Amino acid sequence: MNDSLIQIAIVDDHTLFAVTLRDFLNSQPNLEVVFVSNSATDFFYKIKDVSTMPSVILVDINMPKCDGIELTSMIKKEYPALRILAVSMACEEGTVVKALKAGVNGYILKDSHPEVLIQAIETVFKGEFYSNEISTLSMLNNINKEELKLNNNEKKLLELVCTELTYKEIADVMCLSPKTIDGYREMLFQKLGVHSRIGLAMYSIRNKYYSLD
């Protein structure tokens, strides 16, 4: 066995996509797909019987019965060391935030360029987070809460952006006007160097303003 290989498992209910993806990844010199599954049940059956444990799992977010977010939570409970790269057609902030909360180590869109996919796999394999939705991730990785002076309302907003509440509903919870919430959001964007709710949620989860427990 080549120790330099990144061992990969694919979980996707679309067989043609999964097989095509497998063949492409296997054509790369440093990547090897050890198995392909079409469901959560099939994944747990195969991983218990596989001779080589994968280190990176590519998980389709939109699957029937048990979707990729539920599967991620299950994998993280049983195999916490495995790195999970979510692969999806969905780029809605709510979906990405849910995936983050479930424990994914990266999030990439299915229409991404193949070279971007390889970069994402290598990134999560190294223990870093990858998202092609956030261009300022390197800055986010280097910012911790001790370096920032956030007021109580900004801290509360960081907690609530990880929920399914809309910004208007967050305003109601915080007893503030939507315009005031917009102001706090823009200030956080500026302080953190991010441009979306996804970026705020990532920072919040990383720095434990929102607990995943």
Side-chain angles (χ1 to χ4, degrees):
M1 182 180 70
N2 187 341
D3 291 336
S4 67
L5 286 176
I6 300 175
Q7 310 291 344
I8 300 166
I10 299 171
V11 189
D12 196 303
D13 64 310
H14 293 95
T15 303
L16 180 59
F17 175 83
V19 170
T20 302
L21 180 57
R22 178 200 64 192
D23 293 345
F24 166 71
L25 295 178
N26 281 337
S27 72
Q28 305 304 307
N30 64 327
L31 306 178
E32 181 180 58
V33 177
V34 295
F35 67 85
V36 175
S37 295
N38 60 13
S39 67
T41 301
D42 189 46
F43 169 82
F44 283 108
Y45 173 78
K46 287 181 176 176
I47 199 169
K48 287 179 171 61
D49 194 46
V50 72
S51 58
T52 301
M53 178 67 74
S55 52
V56 177
I57 317 298
L58 305 187
V59 175
D60 180 20
I61 290 298
N62 303 307
M63 293 189 294
K65 295 183 180 179
C66 178
D67 65 25
I69 294 174
E70 293 176 278
L71 176 57
T72 294
S73 296
M74 294 163 64
I75 293 173
K76 286 295 183 177
K77 287 179 181 177
E78 193 158 348
Y79 302 98
L82 295 185
R83 313 294 295 176
I84 299 176
L85 177 62
V87 183
S88 177
M89 290 300 296
C91 59
E92 293 85 2
E93 289 183 343
T95 301
V96 181
V97 170
K98 286 180 182 178
L100 286 170
K101 288 162 65 177
V104 300
N105 304 104
Y107 196 102
I108 189 170
L109 300 180
K110 281 190 172 182
D111 61 359
S112 298
H113 192 280
E115 290 182 2
V116 174
L117 174 60
I118 295 172
Q119 179 187 6
I121 292 171
E122 293 174 342
T123 298
V124 300
F125 176 72
K126 291 186 293 185
E128 301 170 9
F129 188 92
Y130 183 87
S131 172
N132 56 2
E133 293 297 298
I134 304 170
S135 61
T136 55
L137 184 61
S138 59
M139 179 184 294
L140 192 65
N141 285 336
N142 293 321
I143 298 174
N144 60 57
K145 61 183 176 183
E146 285 75 24
E147 296 172 332
L148 290 174
K149 293 182 179 179
L150 303 180
N151 62 41
N152 289 335
N153 282 335
E154 288 171 332
K155 293 176 182 177
K156 186 64 176 179
L157 180 55
L158 279 175
E159 175 188 343
L160 293 175
V161 293
C162 295
T163 68
E164 297 181 30
L165 297 174
T166 65
Y167 280 117
K168 184 178 183 305
E169 291 168 336
I170 288 174
D172 292 338
V173 170
M174 294 179 63
C175 299
L176 298 171
S177 71
K179 187 174 181 180
T180 300
I181 291 298
D182 288 344
Y184 283 126
R185 180 189 61 202
E186 294 303 316
M187 184 60 68
L188 285 171
F189 283 167
Q190 182 178 348
K191 288 181 177 181
L192 299 178
V194 299
H195 307 284
S196 69
R197 184 167 180 166
I198 299 168
L200 295 180
M202 282 182 57
Y203 179 82
S204 178
I205 293 170
R206 283 174 177 273
N207 289 280
K208 300 182 179 179
Y209 287 104
Y210 180 89
S211 175
L212 295 176
D213 298 330

